[in-house]
Amino acid sequence: MHSRPLCSQREAHAPQRPHRSPPWKRPWRRLAAAGVLAFALAGAVPAATPAFAAEKGVFFPETFTLSNGMQVVLVTNQRVPVVTHMVWYKVGAADEPRGVSGIAHFLEHLMFKGTEEVPPGAFSRIVAKNGGRDNAFTSWDYTAYFQNVARDRLELVMKMEADRMSNLRLTDQLVYPERDVIIEERRQRIENEPADRIGEQVNATLYVHHPYGTPIIGWPQEMATLTREEAESFYKSWYAPNNAVLVVSGDVTAEELKPLAEKYYGGIPTRPVPERVRVQEPPISAARRVILRDDEVRQPSIRRNWLAPSYRTDKEGYAYPLQVLSEIMSGGPTSRLYRSLVVDQRIATSAWLGYSPSSWDMTSLAAGASPAPGVTMEKLEAALEADIRTLVEKGVTEEEVTTAKKRMLAEAAYARDSLTGPAQTLGAAIATGQSIDDVENWPVRIDAVTADQVNAAARAVLGQTNHVTGLLLPLQDKGS
Amino acid sequence: MIVLSKRLMSKRVFGACLFLFAFAITTPAAAIEIKRVVSPGGIEAWLVEDHKVPIIALEWAFEGAGASDPKGKEGLANLAARTLDEGAGPYDSQAFAARLQDNAIALGYDAGRDGFGGSLRTLSDRRDEAFELTRLSLAEPRFDAEAVERMRAAVLSSLRRDQADPNYVGRRLFYSTAYPGHPYGDEIRGTLESLPTITPDDLRGFVKDGFGRDRLVVAAAGDISPEDLGRALDHVFGGLPATSANAAIPDIEPKGLGETLVATRPTAQTVMLMGQTGLKRADPDWYAATVMNYVLGGGGFGSRLMEEVREKRGLSYGVYSYLIPMEHSALVMAGGNTVNAKAGQALDIMRQEWKRMADEGVTEEELADAKTYLTGSFPLQLSSTQAIAGILLQVKRDELGIDYLDRRDAFINGVTQADVQRVAKRLLDPNRLLTVLVGRPEGVTATRTIDGGS
């Protein structure tokens, strides 16, 4: 992520850790908040107590539904008297009409442009004035707004968030300068960064027909023509209480939350919301390569993406085995890929594999690496392929599965020790078609995964030959 | 064993808001209790004890270590940070990593400008293993040739990768210009030239010289009693030498003030970075400067820079200011990104805001809003066990006192308009900014142009 110190002094100066996670389905935010939210690779970042036991229960949320159909989810955490208040809309960039790419994210920005009661720009100022922080983010499948505030300000932010659910007021004077802002955002976050440009191109190549191939922030030529009317139409279609989920985490109980939720959100009328109609991918039989050469690039890299099922599209039961597979292949310095490519063969300086099952439609699994000095990309690619082939042909061992599961369950114990993490995980899960029960059962389902299941999932996904390979290279191949 | 306690965390001041209604929820007198723990062996730590989650976080730093790598060995401290957890005592790299991973223990080191930090997070039922592995990493790091080479390659790779990031190129150019010949001007990860010269013996020397108990600062939080923490402190740190031998680092004023450097890069956008002398953490005007910075560009939405550059004109996605207090220098900085064609315009606006703040200070309303934000948002940072330990460590390192969190609101609320005006006048001079631009900025007069910029 780019450095954007909002309020921290020391961190601005901190050295960057060389390790970098794969650029994985990064949601777009109105403003990158410094470290407010960390998105985990796996959809659920679960916890379990005691440490290593696979019992049902991660966040132990409570849930209820308002009379207008709005779902409310609460995770009580009384460590400090603060709360995270989030509203998730079940709509994202993949729900955009064709030709208006970026409208979901643009609307997210415009949601801060005011209502009759809260003038343009005042929303964030009021939150800040009350000692809180607020922001928003957009993904392909959801758009979410959040405020972190002292518990006695929960009512204030609920009132304001509920207000803009139905009372947004846009004018041309507000809308069009903000369009310039999102265009700058695109320049800053994608066009200025070759690693992000190749990611966008790989994605656009992997999804031939499905809107997941369209960048969340939008294609530049379409962003430049987005209109106020299109934003309003998107808002009117999708921003309804029955298409939203309220998630609150922190120092509040259900008895306190219920009357407030009814008071502020409960009175907003239910409205008909369109079905999510998503085109499905056609069968693609060709392997594809995307090569980005840029004079700025000094450190090349390779990545390869395969289509994979998400939780919601997982008919074969691969979603949990693929997470275990990901841990075996890429879960730290003792994982297969790192050990093979970086430690043993010394042909890479980093190696990774990632899979995120939290997606309304299908998702992808990806692997990648950066070459060690003097190693050609051809050699690196061959080695990466060899490791994948070995995996598909010979599979993983029972012992690898057992160790990986143990680590995953143990890591899970940390997940509840966070203010925003539980709200984040639950909101994303529900917005992509999972139930709370699915999230809470994560440890049990991970624990039930067998080596045979991991191997079947690995064969099914990594055995596909219609993958997309992305190469980020310097302008001239020097020395290779 | 000495245990002293201090109640912390304050009740918030009610800020003005547009809505007037009664709050249905009342704030309990919230408290985080900080205990001062002194181990039988005399090692002090601050602790926030919390048995609600089965997690322990330990954060520590060796003050001064890492600030100055020897000339030609730039990147030494950082390479040590990357390699300390790559094998220790009887365990080689893979064995050590496996023990950490299999027990879900997170152990890491970080080389900073003014100190060398360590961080441990463990489930409480794994704490003995966690403390022992931490002890080994500090007392008996192996620095096996294989691990050193592997980490060196990773750092080199990250340095090369960053060459494609104009934000990084801008930061590097700024610091090397502001602090020539001083460690603050060096890339903390080293250079393509310096890294190959660093040997395992250099790393051993770094640890031997830097990790003395006289420079050690420790904080902890979570599921551990003061007595158990005391024992753990002696176990983990007790074997370290009593004193360390760090090189003295001279104070330095930033150089290049008034210059505008343009590094030409073929990018669509210009990265802007500007700064001048700021103030150190111990400066009596620190809180006034904090308020000033919040209003100027430190507050995200609603700050003057965001309002003028982004909200009114749509020139940038992000524009901001911040204070950087260091032990031997200090900066007040601002930055942002904008399309090349409008870089001159954006820069002019930023400089105008610099001048307006210096001339006029802040309004009564801005002052009040800054105070409610700066006091009210503080508890939000106490968001996890590790975050709490991290805040304790910072307060301890800055020598603000164990009761600082109690007093913090009063320091901020005591700031007056005149204080902000004074500090703004003292710090902000648009003619004395060192400005660095990366891209193909239009409408900018450069005092020096650097082709490629790196």
Side-chain angles (χ1 to χ4, degrees):
Chain A
M1 304 296 282
H2 66 114
S3 68
R4 199 197 166 283
L6 269 175
C7 43
S8 107
Q9 288 84 43
R10 294 295 166 113
E11 287 81 347
H13 210 59
Q16 297 178 321
R17 300 288 290 187
H19 173 77
R20 181 189 254 193
S21 313
W24 199 263
K25 290 207 168 179
R26 220 180 280 165
W28 291 90
R29 303 174 198 179
R30 175 165 161 255
L31 180 75
V36 173
L37 295 173
F39 285 79
L41 273 184
V45 192
T49 317
F52 288 33
E55 287 166 3
K56 179 180 171 171
V58 180
F59 301 115
F60 306 99
E62 295 172 76
T63 185
F64 51 93
T65 302
L66 305 181
S67 47
N68 58 7
M70 184 167 174
Q71 188 180 359
V72 182
V73 180
L74 167 68
V75 179
T76 298
N77 171 354
Q78 296 178 315
R79 187 212 305 275
V80 282
V82 297
V83 291
T84 284
H85 169 263
M86 304 186 96
V87 169
W88 294 71
Y89 292 99
K90 297 177 194 172
V91 64
D95 301 302
E96 292 164 345
R98 268 185 91 78
V100 286
S101 64
I103 198 72
H105 170 253
F106 189 29
L107 174 61
E108 177 225 299
H109 278 236
L110 296 175
M111 283 289 280
F112 293 83
K113 295 301 180 186
T115 63
E116 193 173 328
E117 281 194 82
V118 181
F123 194 102
S124 296
R125 217 169 284 142
I126 293 167
V127 174
K129 210 178 268 203
N130 283 276
R133 296 173 185 183
D134 76 315
N135 218 324
F137 50 87
T138 306
S139 185
W140 276 286
D141 296 319
Y142 49 77
T143 313
Y145 301 81
F146 69 90
Q147 301 86 31
N148 298 338
V149 289
R151 54 171 270 132
D152 64 344
R153 302 306 151 101
L154 176 60
E155 183 169 1
L156 168 71
V157 296
M158 288 178 87
K159 182 172 161 72
M160 292 205 298
E161 195 62 82
D163 174 44
R164 69 177 170 178
M165 184 180 283
S166 46
N167 297 320
L168 183 66
R169 286 217 182 155
L170 299 177
T171 64
D172 289 357
Q173 289 74 19
L174 294 168
V175 167
Y176 294 107
E178 194 65 26
R179 192 173 67 187
D180 292 337
V181 169
I182 57 168
I183 290 168
E184 284 306 318
E185 182 179 357
R186 185 183 158 83
R187 285 198 184 99
Q188 180 171 335
R189 299 178 68 158
I190 295 179
E191 288 158 28
N192 257 8
E193 313 255 353
D196 292 311
R197 269 188 285 146
I198 181 83
E200 183 176 278
Q201 294 301 319
V202 164
N203 221 38
T205 310
L206 181 68
Y207 297 103
V208 171
H209 190 47
H210 192 277
Y212 287 166
T214 303
I216 294 165
I217 198 166
W219 292 117
Q221 80 282 6
E222 292 180 359
M223 292 172 74
T225 64
L226 294 176
T227 64
R228 174 172 60 80
E229 291 77 9
E230 284 161 346
E232 284 167 343
S233 157
F234 199 78
Y235 174 72
K236 286 190 186 119
S237 299
W238 297 100
Y239 280 44
N242 39 308
N243 196 43
V245 185
L246 170 66
V247 188
V248 177
S249 150
D251 187 10
V252 59
T253 63
E255 289 65 39
E256 292 167 321
L257 183 64
K258 254 182 198 168
L260 291 175
E262 279 295 352
K263 180 173 174 187
Y264 293 108
Y265 292 104
I268 303 171
T270 303
R271 282 191 288 117
V273 173
E275 283 289 306
R276 278 185 156 171
V277 182
R278 302 264 183 89
V279 296
Q280 297 305 307
E281 280 293 284
I284 301 292
S285 53
R288 288 146 288 167
R289 289 176 88 73
V290 180
I291 299 166
L292 176 63
R293 286 188 184 275
D294 191 304
D295 198 27
E296 301 291 284
V297 173
R298 306 283 188 278
Q299 174 62 57
S301 61
I302 182 172
R303 73 190 71 193
R304 179 169 290 180
N305 288 44
W306 297 259
L307 286 178
S310 67
Y311 281 129
R312 202 181 77 91
T313 64
D314 183 23
K315 293 189 182 65
E316 313 288 339
Y318 292 153
Y320 294 91
L322 287 174
Q323 291 172 66
V324 176
L325 175 70
S326 175
E327 176 68 25
I328 292 169
M329 294 299 283
S330 186
T334 61
S335 64
R336 273 196 184 200
L337 275 183
Y338 186 86
R339 220 176 50 224
S340 165
L341 298 177
V342 183
V343 180
D344 292 344
Q345 301 183 60
R346 300 189 193 187
I347 63 174
T349 57
S350 66
W352 54 268
L353 183 145
Y355 166 70
S356 165
S358 290
S359 187
W360 182 263
D361 290 318
M362 73 296 202
T363 181
S364 70
L365 183 147
S370 281
V375 174
T376 64
M377 292 303 282
E378 292 75 15
K379 190 173 174 191
L380 180 66
E381 182 170 357
L384 183 62
E385 276 178 346
D387 281 342
I388 302 287
R389 202 179 318 116
T390 304
L391 169 71
V392 170
E393 286 169 5
K394 300 194 173 148
V396 298
T397 64
E398 286 291 349
E399 193 195 339
E400 282 179 304
V401 170
T402 306
T403 315
K405 290 195 302 193
K406 190 175 124 190
R407 284 204 302 262
M408 293 168 82
L409 295 176
E411 284 295 338
Y414 293 115
R416 211 183 143 83
D417 182 36
S418 157
L419 181 64
T420 53
Q424 186 68 51
T425 302
L426 286 161
I430 293 167
T432 53
Q434 277 195 283
S435 68
I436 288 175
D437 207 46
D438 290 329
V439 175
E440 293 299 287
N441 269 306
W442 188 90
V444 177
R445 291 183 192 166
I446 286 293
D447 195 46
V449 170
T450 67
D452 284 348
Q453 290 172 336
V454 172
N455 293 333
R459 275 195 304 273
V461 172
L462 292 164
Q464 299 174 107
T465 53
N466 57 349
H467 45 67
V468 177
T469 306
L471 292 163
L472 180 64
L473 302 172
L475 209 50
Q476 299 291 323
D477 261 341
K478 292 159 192 149
S480 71
Chain B
M1 169 86 54
I2 307 166
V3 179
L4 300 170
S5 294
K6 198 65 207 151
R7 283 192 105 56
L8 281 192
M9 177 123 37
S10 42
K11 208 163 169 320
R12 298 195 50 260
V13 181
F14 268 64
C17 68
L18 293 188
F19 291 112
L20 292 172
F21 57 87
F23 289 106
I25 297 171
T26 53
T27 316
I32 278 199
E33 195 182 354
I34 302 180
K35 293 169 179 160
R36 179 170 168 264
V37 176
V38 179
S39 74
I43 297 170
E44 181 188 310
W46 292 354
L47 167 68
V48 169
E49 192 177 351
D50 177 0
H51 299 286
K52 284 201 283 289
V53 285
I55 293 169
I56 300 168
L58 196 66
E59 299 273 322
W60 64 98
F62 294 99
E63 290 290 351
S68 178
D69 291 327
K71 277 290 153 216
K73 301 274 185 190
E74 292 86 4
L76 174 61
N78 181 66
L79 190 58
R82 300 266 304 169
T83 319
L84 274 176
D85 60 354
E86 285 287 334
Y91 309 116
D92 70 6
S93 173
Q94 283 285 307
F96 196 82
R99 291 196 84 86
L100 289 172
Q101 278 191 284
D102 292 350
N103 291 288
I105 298 164
L107 170 66
Y109 291 94
D110 207 8
R113 292 283 172 196
D114 292 316
F116 188 92
S119 173
L120 172 70
R121 187 183 67 169
T122 182
L123 301 167
S124 34
D125 66 356
R126 305 290 149 141
R127 69 183 195 187
D128 291 345
E129 179 80 9
F131 292 141
E132 171 60 7
L133 291 171
T134 307
R135 183 193 73 78
L136 281 174
S137 73
L138 286 165
E140 301 175 39
R142 288 165 63 120
F143 298 122
D144 290 339
E146 180 277 326
V148 173
E149 287 313 316
R150 185 159 39 80
M151 286 300 117
R152 190 197 321 270
V155 177
L156 285 167
S157 168
S158 77
L159 283 170
R160 282 192 291 264
R161 192 188 58 224
D162 284 348
Q163 300 300 313
D165 178 355
N167 294 293
Y168 172 76
V169 171
R171 281 199 301 277
R172 207 72 290 291
L173 184 56
F174 185 93
Y175 282 100
S176 61
T177 307
Y179 299 118
H182 189 278
Y184 287 166
D186 294 339
E187 157 62 82
I188 202 147
R189 287 174 296 171
T191 66
L192 303 182
E193 293 73 38
S194 70
L195 275 161
T197 72
I198 298 172
T199 66
D201 279 342
D202 292 330
L203 295 166
R204 289 186 194 100
F206 170 81
V207 166
K208 187 167 149 285
D209 290 345
F211 293 179
R213 278 179 280 127
D214 57 334
R215 300 290 183 94
L216 177 67
V217 186
V218 190
D223 186 17
I224 189 166
S225 70
E227 294 70 26
D228 289 349
L229 177 62
R231 278 189 287 276
L233 291 172
D234 282 347
H235 179 73
V236 174
F237 303 109
L240 296 175
T243 57
S244 37
N246 288 138
I249 299 168
D251 287 354
I252 183 170
E253 289 290 315
K255 311 280 191 276
L257 303 186
E259 283 209 70
T260 301
L261 311 182
V262 173
T264 52
R265 305 277 280 211
T267 51
Q269 224 186 18
T270 295
V271 170
M272 307 178 288
L273 198 60
M274 54 196 234
Q276 59 195 185
T277 308
L279 38 68
K280 293 185 186 172
R281 185 61 185 81
D283 193 291
D285 271 335
W286 173 258
Y287 298 97
T290 301
V291 169
M292 177 200 80
N293 174 62
Y294 176 78
V295 175
L296 179 63
F301 297 105
S303 78
R304 289 184 183 180
L305 288 177
M306 280 290 265
E307 190 63 29
E308 295 299 321
V309 178
R310 170 170 163 159
E311 297 298 302
K312 283 191 190 162
R313 298 176 179 88
L315 292 175
S316 182
Y317 170 54
V319 55
Y320 48 84
S321 69
Y322 51 101
L323 303 171
I324 299 186
M326 295 171 273
E327 289 293 318
H328 305 284
S329 194
L331 294 166
V332 51
M333 301 208 42
N337 297 32
T338 190
V339 64
N340 285 319
K342 294 185 175 166
Q345 187 192 351
L347 203 58
D348 285 347
I349 294 166
M350 290 168 74
R351 285 174 176 160
Q352 278 164 29
E353 290 307 313
W354 220 250
K355 183 171 188 314
R356 179 157 77 98
M357 180 62 82
D359 291 346
E360 300 168 15
V362 296
T363 66
E364 196 61 60
E365 190 189 356
E366 285 172 327
L367 178 69
D369 290 352
K371 286 178 180 178
T372 54
Y373 175 80
L374 292 168
T375 53
S377 63
F378 187 77
L380 299 176
Q381 295 178 41
L382 306 169
S383 58
S384 69
T385 305
Q386 200 158 22
I388 290 170
I391 287 167
L392 294 192
L393 184 74
Q394 193 60 56
V395 171
K396 205 163 188 296
R397 289 184 69 182
D398 288 338
E399 298 177 349
L400 300 171
I402 197 166
D403 59 347
Y404 170 72
L405 301 189
D406 269 345
R407 294 181 291 125
R408 185 181 172 278
D409 282 4
F411 288 133
I412 288 163
N413 287 326
V415 173
T416 67
Q417 271 181 294
D419 292 335
V420 177
Q421 175 74 77
R422 182 181 65 250
V423 77
K425 196 110 234 157
R426 173 183 158 196
L427 295 181
L428 305 181
D429 180 353
N431 299 314
R432 300 263 304 154
L433 281 163
L434 167 56
T435 305
V436 167
L437 303 161
V438 185
R440 292 173 298 185
E442 294 174 27
V444 174
T445 311
T447 55
R448 189 153 60 94
T449 302
I450 301 116
D451 188 32
S454 57

